[in-house]
Amino acid sequence: MTTAQEIQCQPGTSENVPTKAIPTVDSDATPMEGVEDAPEDTAPEDSMDVDNINPEIDGLEDEEDQLNVTIKVTPDGGVTKKIISLGEGYEKPQSDDEVSVTYIGRLVPDGEVFDQNTDKERPFTFGLDKGMVIKGWDKGIATMKKGERAILTIKPEYAYGATGAPPKIPANATLEFEVELLDWKSVNSLTPDGRVILRMIKKDESAWSTPKEGWEVVMDYKLTATVAGEEKLVEEKNDVRFTLGEEQPFGRLSTHITAAVKKFKKGERGILTIAPEHAYGHDGDSARDIPPDATLKYEISLIRWHEIEQIGKTSIVKKILTEGNGWERPQLGSTVEIRIAYARTTGPASVTFVENKTETVTLMSGALPEALDIGIAEMKKGEKALIKAPAEYGYGRSLAQQHNIPPNEPLEFEVELVSFEKTKESWDMSRDEKLESMKRLRETGNTLFKDGKPRLAVKHYEKAVDYFSTSDTDSATEKEEVDGICLPCHSNLSLCYLKMGDASKANMHATKALKIDPKNVKALYRRAQAFMDSKDYSKSIQDCEVALEGVADDESIRSQVKLLMKKAKDAAREVEKKEKALFAKMMAGL
């Protein structure tokens, strides 16, 4: 008996080089790996008469007729199969599936056993078509059903060729394997039990992107149901649209179909096989003409998808209808040319207020609805998109009145970004250009805030204060000039964030303003409001007291500060009262 190390071959070659150990008669290790192609002069003298082999078995009327019939597995007869025990069902393993088998390997013609593993508790397992075994095994086992036992006869060009695998397998040896296919697990299984399987039949290796949760997909499919080997067409549909993870157009099967479609790339086609227990089971579905205990097959072609995303932390949703070009996107201040197919409200009134209009505008200047400003900033040149937003992301106060837009109506826009011009980056600007840009940004921010667009105002103020760092200002005069613009921008940012309900950022910008001018009344008042909103009443009172010192002669401002301070003191007393009551209750329980 040879040792496990004596028969070793490099996958895909006929060279006898140490790689993976090959089993002996007593071993359960891997079957030998073999040649990819053999030289033309390696055909063995004892090769069987191919003319006496049935080329096909599919034409046999009864499964029993398949027993003990030798058929060609490969067109050249280099691998043949003779079934000695029928398998079950009709499915067969596919490329990359992990198959489990037992086997006995013999030399032809003397029948000497050179390798075997007959232990069903510890079967030999390998990946089909992964080069882990000789080529004849990959070819032959792919034709078998679960539980099938067969004799595979493999010529040397599908095994070890002219070199062989000394000492047990001579050169130009034809091999015979008695194999039982116990089971297999699909690498494309979508369920732990391996009973929902996706098999791709048309792949695009050049593509890489697949659809994500929440995206809309468009696909064609054909559904068949199989019972006891009898297959029937259930339905065939084209251009089926649904949103991954949000819609359930396939009822109880939606989870499996969604999981499968997420693995597709555009233009790919695959077959999703769903076992009865994961489909309609013993009951079937009479409404869809699906019989009981039917295995379902969806042949799916993914035509395209529309990427749907929620933009940042906003309530704006953008669906890409046509992909754009490149990677660059317009920025605040970019001149953009857009084509609006339509703009409408989607509430009960459903008013279309813009249709087939081309415009050239400055992005985020207030010339467009806020939803379009924010959405277009996420688009590429040539991209078409559908943008949906709640009413608060509309035109604001002034333009909404001009367009007669009903209040509180959700909005929808179909828009194309035709072209845009990039803005000049700050590092390409001179100091004077930066200062002028800061002033324009501040003024536009003020206009947007007054028009009820604090979110867009924030973008202008924040860009303005980002132009200069401490190192950019070389003298006290220059610093004073920059601070003169940054101070009101930070103060206004605090006000915007208070309107937007973000007390933390309101506090942060008010504090930055106070670093420039510690006695600035507006910044103190706005920080006091931020402390009030975050329930830090003592600090709110402190800021109010400092603010009052700075407005001794302005009674209108003093009254506002006093009112805020009174609210903070009342809230602090209420907290103190509740704390005392809780403490008294705790002491009474001792």
PDB file of all heavy atoms in Angstrom, residues 288-315:
ATOM      1  N   ARG A 288     -52.514  31.787  -8.289  1.00  0.00           N
ATOM      2  CA  ARG A 288     -51.469  31.964  -9.305  1.00  0.00           C
ATOM      3  C   ARG A 288     -51.226  30.684 -10.098  1.00  0.00           C
ATOM      4  O   ARG A 288     -50.279  30.597 -10.871  1.00  0.00           O
ATOM      5  CB  ARG A 288     -50.161  32.413  -8.644  1.00  0.00           C
ATOM      6  CG  ARG A 288     -50.267  33.731  -7.909  1.00  0.00           C
ATOM      7  CD  ARG A 288     -48.929  34.145  -7.327  1.00  0.00           C
ATOM      8  NE  ARG A 288     -47.971  34.494  -8.360  1.00  0.00           N
ATOM      9  CZ  ARG A 288     -46.666  34.657  -8.146  1.00  0.00           C
ATOM     10  NH1 ARG A 288     -46.181  34.482  -6.927  1.00  0.00           N
ATOM     11  NH2 ARG A 288     -45.851  34.984  -9.130  1.00  0.00           N
ATOM     12  N   ASP A 289     -52.077  29.689  -9.857  1.00  0.00           N
ATOM     13  CA  ASP A 289     -51.963  28.406 -10.559  1.00  0.00           C
ATOM     14  C   ASP A 289     -50.641  27.705 -10.254  1.00  0.00           C
ATOM     15  O   ASP A 289     -50.024  27.081 -11.122  1.00  0.00           O
ATOM     16  CB  ASP A 289     -52.109  28.610 -12.074  1.00  0.00           C
ATOM     17  CG  ASP A 289     -52.434  27.296 -12.790  1.00  0.00           C
ATOM     18  OD1 ASP A 289     -52.982  26.386 -12.136  1.00  0.00           O
ATOM     19  OD2 ASP A 289     -52.125  27.183 -13.993  1.00  0.00           O
ATOM     20  N   ILE A 290     -50.218  27.806  -8.987  1.00  0.00           N
ATOM     21  CA  ILE A 290     -49.014  27.108  -8.536  1.00  0.00           C
ATOM     22  C   ILE A 290     -49.446  25.874  -7.747  1.00  0.00           C
ATOM     23  O   ILE A 290     -50.113  25.996  -6.721  1.00  0.00           O
ATOM     24  CB  ILE A 290     -48.139  28.023  -7.665  1.00  0.00           C
ATOM     25  CG1 ILE A 290     -47.625  29.193  -8.506  1.00  0.00           C
ATOM     26  CG2 ILE A 290     -46.963  27.250  -7.068  1.00  0.00           C
ATOM     27  CD1 ILE A 290     -46.856  30.221  -7.714  1.00  0.00           C
ATOM     28  N   PRO A 291     -49.121  24.674  -8.209  1.00  0.00           N
ATOM     29  CA  PRO A 291     -49.587  23.449  -7.550  1.00  0.00           C
ATOM     30  C   PRO A 291     -48.889  23.211  -6.214  1.00  0.00           C
ATOM     31  O   PRO A 291     -47.844  23.822  -5.931  1.00  0.00           O
ATOM     32  CB  PRO A 291     -49.224  22.351  -8.552  1.00  0.00           C
ATOM     33  CG  PRO A 291     -48.103  22.922  -9.352  1.00  0.00           C
ATOM     34  CD  PRO A 291     -48.327  24.393  -9.419  1.00  0.00           C
ATOM     35  N   PRO A 292     -49.455  22.331  -5.383  1.00  0.00           N
ATOM     36  CA  PRO A 292     -48.795  21.987  -4.115  1.00  0.00           C
ATOM     37  C   PRO A 292     -47.427  21.360  -4.357  1.00  0.00           C
ATOM     38  O   PRO A 292     -47.184  20.736  -5.391  1.00  0.00           O
ATOM     39  CB  PRO A 292     -49.763  20.977  -3.471  1.00  0.00           C
ATOM     40  CG  PRO A 292     -51.079  21.240  -4.126  1.00  0.00           C
ATOM     41  CD  PRO A 292     -50.768  21.665  -5.519  1.00  0.00           C
ATOM     42  N   ASP A 293     -46.526  21.556  -3.379  1.00  0.00           N
ATOM     43  CA  ASP A 293     -45.194  20.950  -3.381  1.00  0.00           C
ATOM     44  C   ASP A 293     -44.390  21.296  -4.629  1.00  0.00           C
ATOM     45  O   ASP A 293     -43.578  20.507  -5.117  1.00  0.00           O
ATOM     46  CB  ASP A 293     -45.295  19.427  -3.233  1.00  0.00           C
ATOM     47  CG  ASP A 293     -45.983  19.022  -1.947  1.00  0.00           C
ATOM     48  OD1 ASP A 293     -45.631  19.592  -0.895  1.00  0.00           O
ATOM     49  OD2 ASP A 293     -46.881  18.167  -1.988  1.00  0.00           O
ATOM     50  N   ALA A 294     -44.588  22.497  -5.139  1.00  0.00           N
ATOM     51  CA  ALA A 294     -43.891  22.912  -6.365  1.00  0.00           C
ATOM     52  C   ALA A 294     -42.579  23.605  -6.035  1.00  0.00           C
ATOM     53  O   ALA A 294     -42.504  24.449  -5.143  1.00  0.00           O
ATOM     54  CB  ALA A 294     -44.768  23.844  -7.189  1.00  0.00           C
ATOM     55  N   THR A 295     -41.543  23.225  -6.766  1.00  0.00           N
ATOM     56  CA  THR A 295     -40.291  23.975  -6.752  1.00  0.00           C
ATOM     57  C   THR A 295     -40.404  25.077  -7.796  1.00  0.00           C
ATOM     58  O   THR A 295     -40.758  24.828  -8.945  1.00  0.00           O
ATOM     59  CB  THR A 295     -39.098  23.061  -7.082  1.00  0.00           C
ATOM     60  OG1 THR A 295     -38.962  22.082  -6.047  1.00  0.00           O
ATOM     61  CG2 THR A 295     -37.805  23.871  -7.173  1.00  0.00           C
ATOM     62  N   LEU A 296     -40.130  26.314  -7.381  1.00  0.00           N
ATOM     63  CA  LEU A 296     -40.287  27.454  -8.274  1.00  0.00           C
ATOM     64  C   LEU A 296     -38.946  27.882  -8.837  1.00  0.00           C
ATOM     65  O   LEU A 296     -37.923  27.845  -8.143  1.00  0.00           O
ATOM     66  CB  LEU A 296     -40.928  28.626  -7.532  1.00  0.00           C
ATOM     67  CG  LEU A 296     -42.285  28.367  -6.878  1.00  0.00           C
ATOM     68  CD1 LEU A 296     -42.818  29.658  -6.258  1.00  0.00           C
ATOM     69  CD2 LEU A 296     -43.285  27.798  -7.873  1.00  0.00           C
ATOM     70  N   LYS A 297     -38.980  28.285 -10.096  1.00  0.00           N
ATOM     71  CA  LYS A 297     -37.783  28.828 -10.739  1.00  0.00           C
ATOM     72  C   LYS A 297     -38.114  30.174 -11.368  1.00  0.00           C
ATOM     73  O   LYS A 297     -39.011  30.251 -12.204  1.00  0.00           O
ATOM     74  CB  LYS A 297     -37.246  27.868 -11.808  1.00  0.00           C
ATOM     75  CG  LYS A 297     -36.388  26.748 -11.270  1.00  0.00           C
ATOM     76  CD  LYS A 297     -35.702  26.007 -12.402  1.00  0.00           C
ATOM     77  CE  LYS A 297     -34.781  24.927 -11.860  1.00  0.00           C
ATOM     78  NZ  LYS A 297     -34.086  24.207 -12.960  1.00  0.00           N
ATOM     79  N   TYR A 298     -37.402  31.189 -10.927  1.00  0.00           N
ATOM     80  CA  TYR A 298     -37.500  32.511 -11.542  1.00  0.00           C
ATOM     81  C   TYR A 298     -36.279  32.718 -12.427  1.00  0.00           C
ATOM     82  O   TYR A 298     -35.148  32.733 -11.927  1.00  0.00           O
ATOM     83  CB  TYR A 298     -37.534  33.612 -10.485  1.00  0.00           C
ATOM     84  CG  TYR A 298     -38.873  33.845  -9.834  1.00  0.00           C
ATOM     85  CD1 TYR A 298     -39.246  33.149  -8.695  1.00  0.00           C
ATOM     86  CD2 TYR A 298     -39.768  34.777 -10.361  1.00  0.00           C
ATOM     87  CE1 TYR A 298     -40.479  33.373  -8.084  1.00  0.00           C
ATOM     88  CE2 TYR A 298     -40.998  35.006  -9.754  1.00  0.00           C
ATOM     89  CZ  TYR A 298     -41.353  34.301  -8.621  1.00  0.00           C
ATOM     90  OH  TYR A 298     -42.562  34.530  -8.025  1.00  0.00           O
ATOM     91  N   GLU A 299     -36.490  32.863 -13.720  1.00  0.00           N
ATOM     92  CA  GLU A 299     -35.401  33.270 -14.604  1.00  0.00           C
ATOM     93  C   GLU A 299     -35.471  34.794 -14.698  1.00  0.00           C
ATOM     94  O   GLU A 299     -36.401  35.353 -15.280  1.00  0.00           O
ATOM     95  CB  GLU A 299     -35.523  32.641 -15.987  1.00  0.00           C
ATOM     96  CG  GLU A 299     -34.359  32.992 -16.894  1.00  0.00           C
ATOM     97  CD  GLU A 299     -34.394  32.266 -18.224  1.00  0.00           C
ATOM     98  OE1 GLU A 299     -34.922  31.137 -18.283  1.00  0.00           O
ATOM     99  OE2 GLU A 299     -33.893  32.854 -19.214  1.00  0.00           O
ATOM    100  N   ILE A 300     -34.485  35.437 -14.094  1.00  0.00           N
ATOM    101  CA  ILE A 300     -34.512  36.890 -13.898  1.00  0.00           C
ATOM    102  C   ILE A 300     -33.473  37.567 -14.773  1.00  0.00           C
ATOM    103  O   ILE A 300     -32.322  37.123 -14.833  1.00  0.00           O
ATOM    104  CB  ILE A 300     -34.246  37.230 -12.416  1.00  0.00           C
ATOM    105  CG1 ILE A 300     -35.353  36.658 -11.521  1.00  0.00           C
ATOM    106  CG2 ILE A 300     -34.131  38.739 -12.206  1.00  0.00           C
ATOM    107  CD1 ILE A 300     -35.049  36.749 -10.032  1.00  0.00           C
ATOM    108  N   SER A 301     -33.875  38.635 -15.438  1.00  0.00           N
ATOM    109  CA  SER A 301     -32.939  39.509 -16.155  1.00  0.00           C
ATOM    110  C   SER A 301     -33.061  40.905 -15.546  1.00  0.00           C
ATOM    111  O   SER A 301     -34.148  41.474 -15.540  1.00  0.00           O
ATOM    112  CB  SER A 301     -33.266  39.568 -17.648  1.00  0.00           C
ATOM    113  OG  SER A 301     -33.093  38.302 -18.252  1.00  0.00           O
ATOM    114  N   LEU A 302     -31.956  41.402 -15.014  1.00  0.00           N
ATOM    115  CA  LEU A 302     -31.969  42.746 -14.431  1.00  0.00           C
ATOM    116  C   LEU A 302     -31.691  43.755 -15.545  1.00  0.00           C
ATOM    117  O   LEU A 302     -30.584  43.824 -16.078  1.00  0.00           O
ATOM    118  CB  LEU A 302     -30.937  42.874 -13.322  1.00  0.00           C
ATOM    119  CG  LEU A 302     -30.893  44.227 -12.608  1.00  0.00           C
ATOM    120  CD1 LEU A 302     -32.234  44.558 -11.981  1.00  0.00           C
ATOM    121  CD2 LEU A 302     -29.800  44.253 -11.549  1.00  0.00           C
ATOM    122  N   ILE A 303     -32.692  44.530 -15.886  1.00  0.00           N
ATOM    123  CA  ILE A 303     -32.576  45.477 -16.996  1.00  0.00           C
ATOM    124  C   ILE A 303     -31.813  46.728 -16.561  1.00  0.00           C
ATOM    125  O   ILE A 303     -30.853  47.139 -17.203  1.00  0.00           O
ATOM    126  CB  ILE A 303     -33.970  45.874 -17.530  1.00  0.00           C
ATOM    127  CG1 ILE A 303     -34.815  44.611 -17.828  1.00  0.00           C
ATOM    128  CG2 ILE A 303     -33.836  46.742 -18.773  1.00  0.00           C
ATOM    129  CD1 ILE A 303     -34.167  43.650 -18.796  1.00  0.00           C
ATOM    130  N   ARG A 304     -32.208  47.311 -15.457  1.00  0.00           N
ATOM    131  CA  ARG A 304     -31.566  48.524 -14.965  1.00  0.00           C
ATOM    132  C   ARG A 304     -32.046  48.776 -13.537  1.00  0.00           C
ATOM    133  O   ARG A 304     -32.897  48.063 -13.029  1.00  0.00           O
ATOM    134  CB  ARG A 304     -31.903  49.738 -15.845  1.00  0.00           C
ATOM    135  CG  ARG A 304     -33.374  50.084 -15.915  1.00  0.00           C
ATOM    136  CD  ARG A 304     -33.665  51.190 -16.931  1.00  0.00           C
ATOM    137  NE  ARG A 304     -35.074  51.499 -17.027  1.00  0.00           N
ATOM    138  CZ  ARG A 304     -35.950  50.819 -17.761  1.00  0.00           C
ATOM    139  NH1 ARG A 304     -35.532  49.782 -18.478  1.00  0.00           N
ATOM    140  NH2 ARG A 304     -37.218  51.172 -17.796  1.00  0.00           N
ATOM    141  N   TRP A 305     -31.475  49.795 -12.953  1.00  0.00           N
ATOM    142  CA  TRP A 305     -31.972  50.240 -11.649  1.00  0.00           C
ATOM    143  C   TRP A 305     -31.861  51.750 -11.559  1.00  0.00           C
ATOM    144  O   TRP A 305     -31.157  52.390 -12.337  1.00  0.00           O
ATOM    145  CB  TRP A 305     -31.222  49.576 -10.499  1.00  0.00           C
ATOM    146  CG  TRP A 305     -29.767  49.920 -10.400  1.00  0.00           C
ATOM    147  CD1 TRP A 305     -29.213  51.116 -10.062  1.00  0.00           C
ATOM    148  CD2 TRP A 305     -28.669  49.042 -10.659  1.00  0.00           C
ATOM    149  NE1 TRP A 305     -27.853  51.053 -10.085  1.00  0.00           N
ATOM    150  CE2 TRP A 305     -27.483  49.789 -10.442  1.00  0.00           C
ATOM    151  CE3 TRP A 305     -28.569  47.702 -11.014  1.00  0.00           C
ATOM    152  CZ2 TRP A 305     -26.225  49.227 -10.594  1.00  0.00           C
ATOM    153  CZ3 TRP A 305     -27.316  47.151 -11.165  1.00  0.00           C
ATOM    154  CH2 TRP A 305     -26.165  47.901 -10.961  1.00  0.00           C
ATOM    155  N   HIS A 306     -32.611  52.278 -10.609  1.00  0.00           N
ATOM    156  CA  HIS A 306     -32.570  53.702 -10.338  1.00  0.00           C
ATOM    157  C   HIS A 306     -32.102  53.887  -8.898  1.00  0.00           C
ATOM    158  O   HIS A 306     -32.770  53.460  -7.958  1.00  0.00           O
ATOM    159  CB  HIS A 306     -33.944  54.346 -10.530  1.00  0.00           C
ATOM    160  CG  HIS A 306     -34.488  54.192 -11.920  1.00  0.00           C
ATOM    161  ND1 HIS A 306     -33.831  54.673 -13.020  1.00  0.00           N
ATOM    162  CD2 HIS A 306     -35.610  53.587 -12.386  1.00  0.00           C
ATOM    163  CE1 HIS A 306     -34.535  54.400 -14.118  1.00  0.00           C
ATOM    164  NE2 HIS A 306     -35.607  53.740 -13.749  1.00  0.00           N
ATOM    165  N   GLU A 307     -30.942  54.507  -8.757  1.00  0.00           N
ATOM    166  CA  GLU A 307     -30.391  54.724  -7.429  1.00  0.00           C
ATOM    167  C   GLU A 307     -31.252  55.740  -6.687  1.00  0.00           C
ATOM    168  O   GLU A 307     -31.547  56.813  -7.194  1.00  0.00           O
ATOM    169  CB  GLU A 307     -28.958  55.233  -7.556  1.00  0.00           C
ATOM    170  CG  GLU A 307     -28.274  55.472  -6.236  1.00  0.00           C
ATOM    171  CD  GLU A 307     -26.847  55.931  -6.402  1.00  0.00           C
ATOM    172  OE1 GLU A 307     -26.274  55.679  -7.498  1.00  0.00           O
ATOM    173  OE2 GLU A 307     -26.305  56.549  -5.472  1.00  0.00           O
ATOM    174  N   ILE A 308     -31.666  55.403  -5.501  1.00  0.00           N
ATOM    175  CA  ILE A 308     -32.487  56.289  -4.671  1.00  0.00           C
ATOM    176  C   ILE A 308     -31.733  56.548  -3.376  1.00  0.00           C
ATOM    177  O   ILE A 308     -31.288  55.612  -2.709  1.00  0.00           O
ATOM    178  CB  ILE A 308     -33.866  55.665  -4.371  1.00  0.00           C
ATOM    179  CG1 ILE A 308     -34.638  55.430  -5.681  1.00  0.00           C
ATOM    180  CG2 ILE A 308     -34.667  56.556  -3.437  1.00  0.00           C
ATOM    181  CD1 ILE A 308     -35.964  54.729  -5.497  1.00  0.00           C
ATOM    182  N   GLU A 309     -31.577  57.819  -3.039  1.00  0.00           N
ATOM    183  CA  GLU A 309     -30.854  58.153  -1.815  1.00  0.00           C
ATOM    184  C   GLU A 309     -31.518  59.322  -1.100  1.00  0.00           C
ATOM    185  O   GLU A 309     -32.093  60.206  -1.733  1.00  0.00           O
ATOM    186  CB  GLU A 309     -29.403  58.514  -2.133  1.00  0.00           C
ATOM    187  CG  GLU A 309     -29.240  59.721  -3.028  1.00  0.00           C
ATOM    188  CD  GLU A 309     -27.799  60.151  -3.200  1.00  0.00           C
ATOM    189  OE1 GLU A 309     -26.996  59.848  -2.303  1.00  0.00           O
ATOM    190  OE2 GLU A 309     -27.485  60.787  -4.214  1.00  0.00           O
ATOM    191  N   GLN A 310     -31.440  59.274   0.205  1.00  0.00           N
ATOM    192  CA  GLN A 310     -31.850  60.422   1.007  1.00  0.00           C
ATOM    193  C   GLN A 310     -30.628  61.317   1.145  1.00  0.00           C
ATOM    194  O   GLN A 310     -29.538  60.840   1.507  1.00  0.00           O
ATOM    195  CB  GLN A 310     -32.342  59.985   2.377  1.00  0.00           C
ATOM    196  CG  GLN A 310     -32.832  61.139   3.230  1.00  0.00           C
ATOM    197  CD  GLN A 310     -33.437  60.668   4.538  1.00  0.00           C
ATOM    198  OE1 GLN A 310     -34.018  59.594   4.606  1.00  0.00           O
ATOM    199  NE2 GLN A 310     -33.293  61.468   5.569  1.00  0.00           N
ATOM    200  N   ILE A 311     -30.765  62.581   0.805  1.00  0.00           N
ATOM    201  CA  ILE A 311     -29.614  63.476   0.762  1.00  0.00           C
ATOM    202  C   ILE A 311     -29.270  63.954   2.163  1.00  0.00           C
ATOM    203  O   ILE A 311     -30.041  64.698   2.796  1.00  0.00           O
ATOM    204  CB  ILE A 311     -29.883  64.665  -0.165  1.00  0.00           C
ATOM    205  CG1 ILE A 311     -30.147  64.168  -1.594  1.00  0.00           C
ATOM    206  CG2 ILE A 311     -28.701  65.623  -0.159  1.00  0.00           C
ATOM    207  CD1 ILE A 311     -30.510  65.254  -2.567  1.00  0.00           C
ATOM    208  N   GLY A 312     -28.121  63.498   2.636  1.00  0.00           N
ATOM    209  CA  GLY A 312     -27.645  63.910   3.954  1.00  0.00           C
ATOM    210  C   GLY A 312     -28.666  63.666   5.049  1.00  0.00           C
ATOM    211  O   GLY A 312     -29.301  62.607   5.111  1.00  0.00           O
ATOM    212  N   LYS A 313     -28.836  64.666   5.900  1.00  0.00           N
ATOM    213  CA  LYS A 313     -29.805  64.576   7.000  1.00  0.00           C
ATOM    214  C   LYS A 313     -31.113  65.274   6.655  1.00  0.00           C
ATOM    215  O   LYS A 313     -31.954  65.498   7.529  1.00  0.00           O
ATOM    216  CB  LYS A 313     -29.201  65.180   8.271  1.00  0.00           C
ATOM    217  CG  LYS A 313     -27.991  64.412   8.794  1.00  0.00           C
ATOM    218  CD  LYS A 313     -27.460  65.041  10.071  1.00  0.00           C
ATOM    219  CE  LYS A 313     -26.269  64.263  10.602  1.00  0.00           C
ATOM    220  NZ  LYS A 313     -25.719  64.851  11.854  1.00  0.00           N
ATOM    221  N   THR A 314     -31.273  65.594   5.376  1.00  0.00           N
ATOM    222  CA  THR A 314     -32.505  66.258   4.951  1.00  0.00           C
ATOM    223  C   THR A 314     -33.605  65.226   4.721  1.00  0.00           C
ATOM    224  O   THR A 314     -33.380  64.012   4.802  1.00  0.00           O
ATOM    225  CB  THR A 314     -32.281  67.050   3.642  1.00  0.00           C
ATOM    226  OG1 THR A 314     -32.134  66.114   2.561  1.00  0.00           O
ATOM    227  CG2 THR A 314     -31.037  67.907   3.726  1.00  0.00           C
ATOM    228  N   SER A 315     -34.793  65.723   4.384  1.00  0.00           N
ATOM    229  CA  SER A 315     -35.903  64.846   4.013  1.00  0.00           C
ATOM    230  C   SER A 315     -36.052  64.761   2.494  1.00  0.00           C
ATOM    231  O   SER A 315     -37.072  64.303   1.998  1.00  0.00           O
ATOM    232  CB  SER A 315     -37.206  65.374   4.627  1.00  0.00           C
ATOM    233  OG  SER A 315     -37.092  65.465   6.025  1.00  0.00           O
TER     234      SER A 315
END
